[in-house]
Amino acid sequence: MPDDYTDDANGRRQLRRDLRNLEALGYSIERHLRPLRWSIDAGTHLLSDDDVLALLHIREAFTENHPLTPLVTRLLARLTGHLSDNQRALWQRQPALRAPLNPAIDYRDCADLIRSLETAISQRRQITFLYRARGRSEPIRTSG
């Protein structure tokens, strides 16, 4: 890496420093011989115990009939897939304080519609609704 490190004691010191800093950030570094090279792996995702507690409360907030539960569950599985043994025990417990987001109606079947509406709104597209007013036989179209 001649563009990044000089071929002298100073360059080797800089390389060792950078490799140590990457390890401190959670990267896995392996030295290979013949030819001399290093492989760097992203390693595990580093979370503090407070991060795990926050994720625990997010997990408990999304109840089974919330339309975003599958999406949140997949994200949490990716974030907590490489926890230490102590953090895994923390992750598996039930929190003392729970504040579930439990809709009055089961919206699981509406997840695709909600996602489409979010996309349309974020793209600032006009949305039209068709509904049937009480006492009228013909549907009414309204734009929002």
Side-chain angles (χ1 to χ4, degrees):
M1 298 170 42
D3 293 338
D4 299 305
Y5 302 100
T6 57
D7 191 18
D8 58 10
N10 188 43
R12 288 187 293 277
R13 189 181 77 249
Q14 289 174 332
L15 177 63
R16 286 191 304 272
R17 178 206 60 206
D18 290 348
L19 292 173
R20 280 192 311 274
N21 287 337
L22 286 170
E23 284 180 315
L25 291 171
Y27 289 88
S28 172
I29 300 179
E30 188 175 347
R31 183 178 180 196
H32 306 276
L33 299 174
R34 295 196 182 113
L36 179 60
R37 65 196 186 284
W38 287 266
S39 62
I40 302 172
D41 181 35
T44 59
H45 189 77
L46 300 176
L47 294 173
S48 70
D49 288 351
D50 285 341
D51 294 338
V52 175
L53 283 173
L55 293 174
L56 174 70
H57 287 284
I58 291 169
R59 181 193 71 201
E60 294 300 314
F62 284 85
T63 60
E64 184 178 295
N65 62 348
H66 194 285
L68 297 178
T69 296
L71 190 66
V72 171
T73 301
R74 285 191 300 272
L75 172 64
L76 293 176
R78 282 196 312 276
L79 291 174
T80 60
H82 301 288
L83 295 177
S84 67
D85 291 340
N86 290 341
Q87 286 183 330
R88 181 148 312 282
L90 182 61
W91 173 246
Q92 291 173 346
R93 72 176 205 176
Q94 294 292 319
L97 175 65
R98 296 178 73 191
L101 301 172
N102 196 1
I105 300 171
D106 185 350
Y107 288 105
R108 284 179 290 186
D109 293 339
C110 300
D112 290 337
L113 173 62
I114 291 170
R115 202 168 296 122
S116 297
L117 290 172
E118 284 179 345
T119 300
I121 291 167
S122 69
Q123 294 174 354
R124 302 182 61 81
R125 294 192 332 235
Q126 186 172 4
I127 300 171
T128 301
F129 294 94
L130 188 63
Y131 70 96
R132 194 173 309 278
R134 197 179 298 214
R136 296 194 59 173
S137 60
E138 293 299 316
I140 299 171
R141 181 179 302 266
T142 182
S143 297

